[in-house]
Amino acid sequence: MRDDRPISNPNRTIEIMKQYDIKMKKSLGQNFLVEPQILSKMVDVSQVNEKSTVIEIGPGIGALTEFLAQKAKKVLAFEIDQRFVDILATTLSPYDNVEVFHQDILKVDWTAEEFSFLQAEEDLVVVANLPYYITTPIIMNLIESQLPFKRLTMLMQKEVAERMTAQVGTKAYNSLTIAIHYQMDAKISFIVPKSVFIPKPNVDSAVLILERRQHPRVEIDNINTFQAFVQAAFTQRRKTIWNNLRHYYTSANQEIELADQFIEAEIDPQRRSETLSIEEFAHLYKIITK
Ligand code: SAM
């Protein structure tokens, strides 16, 4: 008999786990959301509609997938754990617009023939309750992929969401903030308490929305070397930008050149990196690497 309760109904989730004798793997970031209203709200803020093609990361037993399937044209869900892939065949059987891939999301080849149709999708978006242990690599991989997605709506550790949305001069502002802000507009949509997960994680979470900008915030010739430069500037937070870059860029006899470059950029080398905007970082980087 068909079960009309949402998969994320706490009793139904527990029953499924018992039925398949599933023990959660902490190492794979397995915390299931068991509050249907939050999942529904997440799909609302993601703006998924009948024209949307959704990439979902880590469907688990299908809690979020089900809400996405009810609104989207198509859902492609990537799950690393074979046990859940088997369960999804049953829990998602009422939906014919979901395709489940048994794959590590970090190893997906988006240039493969089977994904070429994504290039022409009208409204490609990513929606996920992320496995927290690989939040940053997942997001950076997606941003750097050639996928033409419009928006990423992702549930993650609150602290990481705060870093990704941090303002210059604040404690949370770091190289990750700059890596994200380079080509995305970031905002926290709402906070999710730890009490709505099974098992309960140690920290609260937040839904972060990243919208792709039409043009990157600054013009950079090589984004990888720019990011390495910014990371170097943040190596030791307590030190000045000068002290961080001095070790990274120069041998003793090149120090004078670096000092001149700071003067040319009109940036005080005694400032801390967290006080520099992305525009100032780009300006300094261009002078140092020209
Ligand atoms: N979507 C479900 C929900 O909202 O309740 C489960 C979310 S749970 C936080 C994260 C899911 O990501 C788990 O199902 C886990 O097995 C899966 N996962 C972990 N690492 C992964 C990876 N590298 N690639 C794809 N899925 C992964």
Side-chain angles (χ1 to χ4, degrees):
M1 204 179 70
R2 191 175 148 168
D3 194 329
D4 286 330
R5 294 171 299 173
I7 297 166
S8 50
N9 171 294
N11 291 333
R12 184 163 174 210
T13 296
I14 291 166
E15 283 161 29
I16 294 171
M17 303 299 281
K18 280 203 180 128
Q19 184 188 347
Y20 291 91
D21 194 21
I22 297 286
K23 302 256 177 314
M24 296 287 208
K25 290 186 186 162
K26 211 176 161 188
S27 61
L28 289 179
Q30 294 176 346
N31 300 88
F32 288 170
L33 227 166
V34 289
E35 176 49 84
Q37 277 179 0
I38 289 183
L39 291 164
S40 169
K41 185 170 170 189
M42 198 172 156
V43 175
D44 280 351
V45 300
S46 74
Q47 300 177 42
V48 163
N49 60 61
E50 68 286 351
K51 290 184 181 155
S52 309
T53 301
V54 184
I55 294 172
E56 191 200 356
I57 300 144
I61 58 172
L64 175 60
T65 326
E66 161 178 75
F67 281 94
L68 290 168
Q70 287 162 5
K71 289 266 175 80
K73 179 174 81 174
K74 188 163 177 60
V75 182
L76 281 65
F78 295 83
E79 174 57 61
I80 199 170
D81 192 330
Q82 178 68 54
R83 301 173 305 166
F84 298 149
V85 175
D86 295 339
I87 296 173
L88 289 165
T90 306
T91 54
L92 296 180
S93 60
Y95 305 98
D96 60 6
N97 58 346
V98 180
E99 200 171 339
V100 176
F101 295 83
H102 178 215
Q103 278 194 52
D104 177 343
I105 190 68
L106 294 178
K107 298 200 177 134
V108 177
D109 176 8
W110 296 113
T111 63
E113 178 59 30
E114 65 178 320
F115 299 124
S116 59
F117 74 97
L118 293 175
Q119 293 299 331
E121 287 305 298
E122 189 178 343
D123 187 51
L124 182 65
V125 294
V126 177
V127 185
N129 173 9
L130 291 175
Y132 292 177
Y133 72 109
I134 42 171
T135 298
T136 305
I138 288 177
I139 294 177
M140 293 318 293
N141 266 16
L142 286 168
I143 293 177
E144 283 158 19
S145 75
Q146 296 304 312
L147 286 175
F149 59 79
K150 282 191 183 157
R151 189 176 308 107
L152 304 162
T153 304
M154 293 158 306
L155 187 58
M156 63 185 67
Q157 223 174 301
K158 185 170 148 238
E159 195 196 331
V160 180
E162 283 168 353
R163 286 205 179 287
M164 293 190 184
T165 52
Q167 298 293 316
V168 61
T170 61
K171 217 170 126 199
Y173 183 82
N174 69 358
S175 56
L176 179 61
T177 320
I178 292 169
I180 296 288
H181 286 201
Y182 170 64
Q183 41 194 334
M184 311 296 287
D185 287 326
K187 71 164 191 226
I188 291 179
S189 179
F190 61 96
I191 305 297
V192 177
K194 47 187 173 231
S195 54
V196 299
F197 294 90
I198 295 179
K200 199 159 81 170
N202 295 327
V203 290
D204 286 334
S205 300
V207 172
L208 179 85
I209 301 182
L210 298 179
E211 300 254 1
R212 199 193 280 285
R213 295 172 60 83
Q214 249 182 345
H215 301 288
R217 216 173 281 272
V218 287
E219 257 183 60
I220 294 292
D221 55 355
N222 183 330
I223 185 60
N224 293 330
T225 50
F226 176 62
Q227 271 167 18
F229 165 78
V230 174
Q231 265 169 19
F234 277 100
T235 312
Q236 293 198 39
R237 279 194 86 86
R238 288 168 166 274
K239 288 193 173 176
T240 60
I241 186 166
W242 167 262
N243 273 326
N244 278 320
L245 290 182
R246 190 168 63 113
H247 295 301
Y248 183 75
Y249 264 103
T250 62
S251 57
N253 56 2
Q254 287 174 305
E255 245 181 66
I256 299 167
E257 198 187 338
L258 183 63
D260 284 345
Q261 287 161 339
F262 269 98
I263 292 169
E264 187 185 341
E266 295 182 28
I267 290 178
D268 179 354
Q270 295 312 312
R271 283 169 67 182
R272 297 226 174 125
S273 294
E274 73 215 39
T275 69
L276 267 73
S277 66
I278 185 168
E279 289 80 8
E280 287 178 304
F281 268 114
H283 178 57
L284 183 61
Y285 166 80
K286 281 184 199 164
I287 288 173
I288 287 179
T289 56
K290 79 176 173 213

